[in-house]
Each structure stands twice: as structure tokens, then as C-alpha cells.
């Protein structure tokens, strides 16, 4: 066998060939021995095989899990060594991690599964090398962002929302794209407060004032003041103010000397200007003034004569006798 030697009459032969040796027999004659030597090759068997990472390969009773060149020697059928060599390759199992996102309400196809929930998912495929290809998916489901906004404004103002100019109370919805690329739903609750316009009429009496939000008014006219409501909106109040005159009543009267004149409960006997103040039907002062004149009683003495036998008409009397007679007449006053 290859790698061994053959002893030929003291020669150690390891190569194939024809060898001759001449010996001397017991009779003294030549004895020629010709040797044809064959050197048989060692039987070499080369094996190539693959397994996938995580598998085992049994070779000549040994278990192998890593790539390498493994061999063992046995005896062939011709009695020489038989060397069997294995080139073993351990193919990797491909592991891939994928990170991805979807929006709430969307789905993600992964293998045979349809995913809608955040999580870590694993799928095993067959790679091009025939081994497992393990794909790990880290899926994030980004939520739909919902935001509620409240706003208030005054009538006549506008609120810009999603490109719209709003001026009416209501609930408005706009869909935007959030930073994650998903819907962002914004709901606006808009309240439009009214601007109040109020007209007020008032009356005051001459000589008094009217307080109009800090202004002391004493003249008739139209006045406007703008206030702010509890919501911060304008409240326009228009005041129409009337100033009512003091009612002045002038009375003129006369009495005769010796008479009395009762005015507002007071008794007067002399000429003069008398007044008193009361309240009129509209609630203002009413000044009543009396110019009183006391007319004199005319006293006239007349002396006259008649002859006996004649008569004298005096008032309604016919006088024929001497004497003092008095008659009361009404004077031209």
C-alpha cells in the first residue's frame, strides 16, 4: 500500500517496479528472482456537504455543527487505507429585523398575516441558500391624533380654521397630517358671542342730572357708550335723554282791602308775589306763583242839598229827609 515498504532480500522498496535479485542455490547455481511490485494508492474520498446553522451533521459517528474539513481513515476492500474527507459548510440562518410604521386604521401584510396592532412579529421563510430566513418585524401603529379646541369670538370677527374664515357658532372638523404622517383630526368648538346694541330712553327734570356710566348729564341729547360684556364683546348702549322743564304757573289775582286770600293753605291780606313748589304729574317741580293785588275800598263822602218838598235818589233809596246816608257800591276795580 502507498506509504508502506516491501522488503526484497534486504532492499526496502516503496515504489512500483520490477526488481531482480540473483541468489545462489544450495547446489551453487544461480537463483534469479524477479519481483513485480505494485504500489496500491490510498483510497481518498472527498465529500462536500452543507447544513444550516443550528443543525447537526453526523460524520463517522461524530457530530459537527461548525464549518470545517473533517476526515477519518478506514481499510479498503484491498486492504489499504481509505481516507474519507468531508468539507462541511454551515450555512447561516438569515435573521433580519425590519422596523416599520402604519397609521391607526391601516393594516400591514407580513407573511400570511394582516397586522393592525403594534408589536414584534416573527416570520420564517426559506432563504436562497435553502436555510431559514427569519424576519423580525417591529411594527409601530401610530395613533390618529385627535385634538379638541374651543374658541370664542365676537360677532363681526372671524376665526381662521383650516383655511376657512368662520364667523358662526358651530363645531368644525379639519384633518391634518401629523409629524408621524398619520391623520391629525382637529375639532373646533366655536362660539360667536353677540355684540349687544341697547337703546335706552330717560327723562330728568330741569336742574337735575342723569348718571350714564360715569357721565353726569344735564342736557337733552343722544349719548352712546360702548361697554365690554363678560365675554369681552362690545355692548353699545344708546341713551336718548329728555330734560323736562320745571312747570311754572303764573297766577294773577286781586282782592279788596279787608278781604283775605287763601293760597296753598296760607292766608294773605296784602299785595305781593307768593309762590309754592309741588310735584307735577311727570314728577318734576311745579312752581305756582301768585301775583296778588289788594285793591282799595273807595270811601267817598258826598254833600248835597235839596229843597223841602223835593226828593234825592241815592242808590236805590229816594230820600226826602236830611241825614247821613251810606250806600255800598261796586267800584270800577
Amino acid at each position: 500500500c502507498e506509504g508502506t515498504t516491501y522488503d526484497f532480500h534486504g532492499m526496502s522498496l516503496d515504489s512500483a517496479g520490477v526488481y531482480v535479485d540473483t541468489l545462489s542455490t544450495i547446489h551453487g547455481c544461480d537463483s534469479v528472482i524477479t519481483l513485480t511490485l505494485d504500489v496500491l494508492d490510498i483510497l481518498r474520498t472527498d465529500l462536500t456537504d452543507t447544513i444550516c446553522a443550528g443543525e447537526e451533521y453526523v460524520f463517522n459517528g461524530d457530530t459537527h455543527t461548525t464549518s470545517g474539513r473533517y476526515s477519518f481513515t478506514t481499510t479498503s476492500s484491498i486492504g489499504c487505507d481509505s481516507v474519507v474527507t468531508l468539507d462541511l459548510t454551515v450555512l447561516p440562518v438569515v435573521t433580519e429585523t425590519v422596523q416599520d410604521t402604519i397609521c391607526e386604521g391601516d393594516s400591514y401584510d407580513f407573511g400570511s398575516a394582516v397586522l393592525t396592532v403594534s408589536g414584534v412579529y416573527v416570520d420564517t421563510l426559506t432563504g436562497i441558500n435553502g436555510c431559514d430566513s427569519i424576519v423580525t418585524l417591529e411594527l409601530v401603529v401610530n395613533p390618529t391624533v385627535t385634538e379638541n379646541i374651543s374658541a370664542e369670538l365676537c360677532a363681526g370677527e372671524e376665526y381662521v380654521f383650516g383655511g376657512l374664515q368662520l364667523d358662526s357658532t358651530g363645531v368644525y372638523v379639519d384633518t391634518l397630517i401629523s409629524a408621524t404622517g398619520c391623520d391629525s383630526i382637529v375639532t373646533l368648538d366655536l362660539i360667536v358671542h353677540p355684540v349687544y346694541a341697547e337703546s335706552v330712553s330717560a327723562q330728568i327734570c330741569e336742574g337735575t342730572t342723569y348718571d350714564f356710566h360715569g357721565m353726569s348729564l344735564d342736557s337733552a341729547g343722544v349719548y352712546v357708550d360702548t361697554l365690554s360684556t363678560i365675554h369681552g364683546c362690545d355692548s353699545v348702549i344708546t341713551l336718548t335723554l329728555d330734560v323736562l322743564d320745571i312747570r311754572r304757573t303764573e297766577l294773577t289775582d286781586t282782592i279788596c282791602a279787608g278781604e283775605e286770600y287763601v293760597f296753598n293753605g296760607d292766608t294773605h291780606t296784602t299785595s305781593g308775589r307768593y309762590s309754592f313748589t309741588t310735584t307735577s304729574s311727570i314728577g318734576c317741580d311745579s312752581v305756582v306763583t301768585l301775583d296778588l293785588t289788594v285793591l282799595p275800598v273807595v270811601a267817598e263822602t258826598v254833600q248835597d242839598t235839596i229843597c223841602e218838598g223835593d226828593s234825592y235818589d241815592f242808590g236805590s233809596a229816594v230820600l226826602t229827609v236830611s241825614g247821613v246816608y251810606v250806600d255800598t257800591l261796586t267800584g270800577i276795580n
Side-chain angles (χ1 to χ4, degrees), residues 100-108 115-118 139-145 175-185:
D100 213 341
T101 60
I102 60 173
C103 296
E104 183 180 357
D106 294 339
S107 61
Y108 191 96
L115 308 177
T116 58
V117 181
S118 295
L139 181 64
V140 176
V141 179
N142 289 319
T144 297
V145 178
T175 301
L176 309 174
I177 301 299
S178 68
T180 62
C182 297
D183 286 346
S184 175
I185 300 175

Side-chain angles (χ1 to χ4, degrees), residues 47-77:
L47 302 176
T48 301
D49 211 346
T50 60
I51 60 172
C52 296
E55 296 178 346
E56 296 179 343
Y57 193 98
V58 178
F59 179 63
N60 191 37
D62 295 327
T63 300
H64 302 283
T65 57
T66 57
S67 297
R69 186 175 178 85
Y70 304 97
S71 65
F72 71 91
T73 303
T74 184
T75 301
S76 68
S77 59

Side-chain angles (χ1 to χ4, degrees), residues 5-208:
T5 59
Y6 185 86
D7 181 62
F8 181 56
H9 301 148
M11 292 184 290
S12 181
L13 305 176
D14 59 6
S15 300
V18 178
Y19 298 92
V20 178
D21 192 15
T22 304
L23 304 176
S24 182
T25 67
I26 57 173
H27 302 294
C29 297
D30 287 342
S31 176
V32 180
I33 300 175
T34 300
L35 169 67
T36 300
L37 181 63
D38 288 328
V39 178
L40 303 177
D41 292 333
I42 294 175
L43 184 60
R44 302 181 186 277
T45 303
D46 286 315
L47 302 176
T48 301
D49 211 346
T50 60
I51 60 172
C52 296
E55 296 178 346
E56 296 179 343
Y57 193 98
V58 178
F59 179 63
N60 191 37
D62 295 327
T63 300
H64 302 283
T65 57
T66 57
S67 297
R69 186 175 178 85
Y70 304 97
S71 65
F72 71 91
T73 303
T74 184
T75 301
S76 68
S77 59
I78 60 175
C80 292
D81 286 346
S82 175
V83 179
V84 181
T85 300
L86 170 66
D87 280 319
L88 181 64
T89 300
V90 179
L91 301 175
V93 173
V94 178
T95 58
E96 181 183 3
T97 300
V98 177
Q99 295 176 328
D100 213 341
T101 60
I102 60 173
C103 296
E104 183 180 357
D106 294 339
S107 61
Y108 191 96
D109 292 329
F110 182 62
S112 60
V114 177
L115 308 177
T116 58
V117 181
S118 295
V120 178
Y121 302 91
V122 179
D123 191 20
T124 302
L125 310 174
T126 299
I128 58 175
N129 61 7
C131 295
D132 288 344
S133 175
I134 300 175
V135 181
T136 300
L137 169 66
E138 296 177 358
L139 181 64
V140 176
V141 179
N142 289 319
T144 297
V145 178
T146 58
E147 182 181 2
N148 294 320
I149 299 174
S150 296
E152 299 180 17
L153 52 83
C154 300
E157 298 176 344
E158 292 181 338
Y159 190 94
V160 178
F161 179 67
L164 300 176
Q165 293 178 318
L166 306 177
D167 58 6
S168 300
T169 296
V171 177
Y172 302 89
V173 178
D174 190 22
T175 301
L176 309 174
I177 301 299
S178 68
T180 62
C182 297
D183 286 346
S184 175
I185 300 175
V186 182
T187 300
L188 168 67
D189 186 3
L190 179 64
I191 298 175
V192 179
H193 295 292
V195 171
Y196 293 100
E198 182 181 0
S199 295
V200 178
S201 295
Q203 296 175 328
I204 60 172
C205 298
E206 178 187 353
T208 62

Side-chain angles (χ1 to χ4, degrees), residues 299-313:
E300 182 182 1
T301 300
V302 177
Q303 293 177 336
D304 211 345
T305 60
I306 61 173
C307 295
E308 185 179 1
D310 292 337
S311 63
Y312 190 95
D313 291 328

